Structure formats: structure tokens, C-alpha cells
Amino acid sequence: MATTVLLGPQRFMTTAGSTLRALEVQGPVATITAGWEEREDQDDELNQVLDGRGRNLRLYHRMFDVLDKDDGFAAAALAFRDRHDELQSFYRLRLDIAMQGVYAVQRRTSAHGTGAVALADAVEAVRRLDEWYSARLKDLYRELDAQTSAAESEVISWHRGELAGMLADSAALVITGGHVGTLLRALRLFALPIGEDLPVIAWSAGAMALTDKVVLFHDHAPQGSHEAEVYDRGLGRVPAVIALPHARRRLRLDDRSRCAVLARRFPHHRLVLLDDGTSVVFDGGGPRPGAEGGHAAYGALPHGVRVLTSDGVVQEVLAP
């Protein structure tokens, strides 16, 4: 497996160029900026950072080309969106109630040790709710796939063929941030054949898309704080990791109790903080799931990586 690098946000501290040069790869670099949506083509600055080697795959524009030309797919995608929106609304309603229960139990004093057991059970209830949502979403994808055959769509097949050729000629792949939902939809539609021998650099939404579980979070959103929620599955290139971009700006890292609940909801994943200047280099594909669904040993993550522990503290991974 080639190197995969998850970077911190690139707005205030640009490290993508130096990271690419450190990989010592030669040739064009495929770029995916679909998360920027209608600004997808405004990639001059990115291309400069990549020493003029960038070749934008233009997945966002390709996605709309498919929607314009394939009526059957467009209808199925619209129906999927509506059903997904409804699923999310019920999930969020239940999640908010469940999390209020967790915090209420967490605040209650316990004289005889019942509190810890009650809290563990309350968190387990939230975990089951997260799993319920993921299972229902998987069903929706299964139904979407049954309704639309990408292999039978001439326009989808054409784009997939061209993209496969572009990737085959590329020395590396760069995936930027932006709207993670749009990015995931584009990646899923075109089923990019990202080979194991192709180095990949990603940040923000791009980093989230490389994991196997995408979790949305924002404790300081303009419209107010909301609970972290499972959103979708990613490409799974970096398994057993939940990427948390902009962690310092978006999480109440000083609220240990709240952070502990977040980490305990995902016991089989490491919650990796991706702040400005962060660079997480996975040689060999990153941590792999361990026995009984657990993640690999702690040392599977590169040393120096900052993670959120089940105690609610930020901790650096130490060298073995």
C-alpha cells in the first residue's frame, strides 16, 4: 500500500506542496476539488502549490453532466436524497434526546457506583442509535444500486472510463476539503479506482472521505452547538480512524466530559485531530482493524498524532 497522508486544514498553513515533494513522486498529480462545488475549477492556487502538476478530475461537473443526461439516474438520485433527508431528520431527533439523557446521567452524582454503570448503558444506547442509522443508510444505498445500474448508463460508463485513464497516468492523488456530502456523492458515483500503489494526500473533507466512517461535528456552529452525528461511510482507505478536521475550532476540547462521550461512542475507531500544520503519514495503509472488530494496537498510528481518548483528553501517540 502506498503512502496516505492526512493533513490539517490548508487555509492558513499550506503544507500540501512540501508533503507532495517529500513523497518524491514524478509526473502529473490528479486532484479532486468536488467539495468546492461550483468553485471546483478555481484551483489555480492549488495548482501552484502542486508545482503546476495538478490535473483536476472535475468530479462535481461530471456529476451534473450525469444528472443532465441520464434521466433514470437523476430520478433515482433525487428519490434517494429525499429518503436520506428524512432518515437524517429522525436520526437527529432521536440523537438529541439520547444525548440529553447521557449528559443528565453524567451530571448526576452517585454514592454507590451506579452512575458509572448508568452512563455506560446510556452511551451504549447512543451507539446502537448510530448503528441503526448506518444500517438504514446502507439499505438506502442498496435500493439505489438496485434501481440504477451504472454499468448500463452510457454517460456514467464514459466518465468512469476517462477517470480511470487519468488516474492510471497520475503519480499521486490530492483530495481537498469543502462540502463532505457533495464530495462523497461524487466519489461514490464514479467509483474511482484508486489503486493501492497510488499515493494519496487529503485534508479536511478529503481526509474524512478516506476513512470508513464520516462523523460530522461542530460545537461552535453559527446556528448553535449540535451533537456529533454519523453521516456516511467513506472510501475506507484509512480504516478504524475518524478524522476530526479543525478540531481546535470546532470542538470544546476543554470540556472533558463531553469529549469523553464522543470518543466512547466509537470504541473501534481512533479519533484523530487534524488541526493547522498536522500531518499524519500512513505508510502501509494505516491502522487495520484488529481482532473482534477492535482497532489495531495503539502504535499502529504514527507517533506524534493527536487523538481524543475515551477519558476525554487529547493525547499524542507515542513511539513504540
Side-chain angles (χ1 to χ4, degrees):
M1 178 74 82
T3 300
T4 299
V5 186
L6 306 185
L7 298 177
Q10 297 292 291
R11 176 175 296 180
F12 302 113
M13 186 177 295
T14 305
T15 56
S18 58
T19 301
L20 177 65
R21 288 189 285 276
L23 292 179
E24 298 182 337
V25 294
Q26 304 298 322
V29 177
T31 63
I32 295 175
T33 59
W36 296 351
E37 299 184 324
E38 66 274 6
R39 296 186 299 105
E40 178 180 60
D41 289 336
Q42 298 177 21
D43 59 353
D44 291 346
E45 186 175 350
L46 172 65
N47 200 28
Q48 290 178 11
V49 168
L50 301 179
D51 301 326
R53 301 160 61 187
R55 292 201 310 179
N56 200 323
L57 300 185
R58 304 185 78 239
L59 298 190
Y60 182 75
H61 284 77
R62 291 176 186 271
M63 184 165 59
F64 273 87
D65 185 55
V66 171
L67 293 172
D68 285 341
K69 296 178 179 176
D70 189 329
D71 293 338
F73 175 81
L78 186 61
F80 173 86
R81 186 199 63 183
D82 291 344
R83 297 185 66 185
H84 188 200
D85 287 348
E86 183 178 81
L87 173 61
Q88 281 185 306
S89 70
F90 279 100
Y91 169 55
R92 287 169 178 163
L93 177 64
R94 297 179 61 193
L95 179 63
D96 184 62
I97 295 170
M99 290 300 294
Q100 293 312 311
V102 169
Y103 297 138
V105 171
Q106 202 173 39
R107 288 191 296 268
R108 179 69 62 89
T109 57
S110 174
H112 305 286
T114 306
V117 179
L119 178 60
D121 193 63
V123 173
E124 177 61 27
V126 176
R127 199 177 299 136
R128 288 196 297 271
L129 178 58
D130 292 334
E131 292 171 352
W132 170 83
Y133 167 79
S134 297
R136 298 289 77 76
L137 180 57
K138 188 175 181 179
D139 289 342
L140 291 183
Y141 276 128
R142 188 180 299 115
E143 293 171 14
L144 175 64
D145 291 340
Q147 295 170 14
T148 61
S149 173
E152 296 176 0
S153 171
E154 185 176 340
V155 63
I156 295 176
S157 297
W158 185 87
H159 282 296
R160 286 185 175 182
E162 185 171 82
L163 289 167
M166 293 178 71
L167 275 181
D169 292 336
S170 300
L173 172 66
V174 168
I175 309 176
T176 68
H179 192 291
V180 69
T182 300
L183 175 60
L184 288 172
R185 281 191 289 275
L187 290 170
R188 190 175 193 281
L189 172 59
F190 297 113
L192 290 184
I194 304 174
E196 293 188 352
D197 58 343
L198 185 68
V200 179
I201 302 171
W203 57 88
S204 298
M208 299 169 83
L210 288 180
T211 68
D212 60 350
K213 187 183 288 292
V214 176
V215 174
L216 305 182
F217 60 98
H218 207 319
D219 292 341
H220 307 289
Q223 65 273 26
S225 174
H226 61 79
E227 301 301 336
E229 61 184 55
V230 176
Y231 179 72
D232 206 336
R233 66 177 187 266
L235 299 178
R237 183 175 173 105
V238 182
V241 164
I242 291 175
L244 302 175
H246 305 276
R248 282 198 182 98
R249 285 189 284 271
R250 294 183 178 179
L251 284 175
R252 298 182 200 165
L253 294 176
D254 58 344
D255 188 337
R256 184 171 171 175
S257 297
R258 185 180 178 89
C259 288
V261 172
L262 175 59
R264 291 174 66 177
R265 283 174 60 185
F266 308 105
H268 303 312
H269 288 73
R270 306 306 303 273
L271 278 63
V272 175
L273 279 59
L274 298 173
D275 288 302
D276 296 332
T278 299
S279 178
V280 184
V281 181
F282 295 100
D283 287 319
R288 298 185 181 283
E292 299 179 354
H295 53 69
Y298 195 67
L301 279 176
H303 69 86
V305 173
R306 298 168 70 244
V307 298
L308 197 59
T309 72
S310 60
D311 295 326
V313 299
V314 176
Q315 191 172 76
E316 283 193 5
V317 176
L318 302 176

